[in-house]
Amino acid sequence: MTKIVIVEDEQGLQTILKYNLEKDGYQTIPVMDGKKALETILKEEPDLILLDWMLPHVSGVEICKTVRQNHDIRHIPVLMLTARGDEADKVSGLSIGADDYMTKPFSVPELMARIKALLRRAPPKPPKKTKIFADLTVDFDKKQVMRGNRMVHIGPTEFRLLQIFLEEPERVFSRLELLKKVWGDAIYVEDRTVDVHVKRLRQALNAGGEYDIIRTVRSSGYALSEMKKK
Ligand code: CA
């Protein structure tokens, strides 16, 4: 479902926007002030942001600039709502990074059309630079793995395995699946090879005496899992 964060401090307008967007089949997340906006956007990673210019605490302009600087959310289209023409001039004139804007009072059907257009031409979501699961932090750019504050040293095959596990934590991947994802179809590799590399990965990840973050499911496969956390 297409998710839209509505950052708007006027309750009446918030309600109108929510009603119309949900009628058109969008999921909406309301935010009433600037401080909470960024936190919500980072957490929800919506498909579009409707952003009011004037907000309590942090202005829409500041939020928009920050969104454009953050790798994980900068691809999200921003439609700015402005109260006056001079604000609209600034949105279009200054490069604050909004994709479109509308001046209040605006026509709801036109807003809906603009939203649709923005969503249609939105860029695809980029892969995340950093992934976090439990006490594990993996930086894909630096190829760096941390377990809590401890640096984990692993080889490229183990890193690739970890990357696959992190795509869907807690899901059990079969040996065959892991084999195909890591080594591809072309090369003949034995199931045992998978076991060997998972064992190496597990030893490296648990070397500081942490709980075993890799779960072995007998005759099924392996998962990255918090189940053994005490
Ligand atoms: Ca406002």
Side-chain angles (χ1 to χ4, degrees), residues 178-193:
L178 293 171
L179 204 148
K180 279 190 176 169
K181 281 175 183 274
V182 176
W183 288 273
D185 290 317
I187 307 165
Y188 178 75
V189 183
E190 285 180 83
D191 287 11
R192 246 196 62 78
T193 310

Side-chain angles (χ1 to χ4, degrees), residues 83-102:
R84 299 186 306 269
D86 59 335
E87 289 178 353
D89 288 347
K90 282 179 195 159
V91 176
S92 54
L94 297 172
S95 53
I96 60 161
D99 297 275
D100 200 0
Y101 67 91
M102 288 199 86

Side-chain angles (χ1 to χ4, degrees), residues 8-10 52 54-55 104:
E8 171 58 69
D9 59 313
E10 285 166 52
D52 184 27
M54 280 292 283
L55 292 162
K104 296 177 190 176

Side-chain angles (χ1 to χ4, degrees), residues 54-95:
M54 280 292 283
L55 292 162
H57 307 301
V58 186
S59 79
V61 176
E62 285 311 308
I63 293 163
C64 190
K65 281 183 186 166
T66 313
V67 166
R68 286 298 173 254
Q69 282 159 10
N70 186 304
H71 173 274
D72 290 342
I73 52 173
R74 70 172 167 224
H75 62 285
I76 302 171
V78 175
L79 198 159
M80 201 97 192
L81 302 174
T82 74
R84 299 186 306 269
D86 59 335
E87 289 178 353
D89 288 347
K90 282 179 195 159
V91 176
S92 54
L94 297 172
S95 53

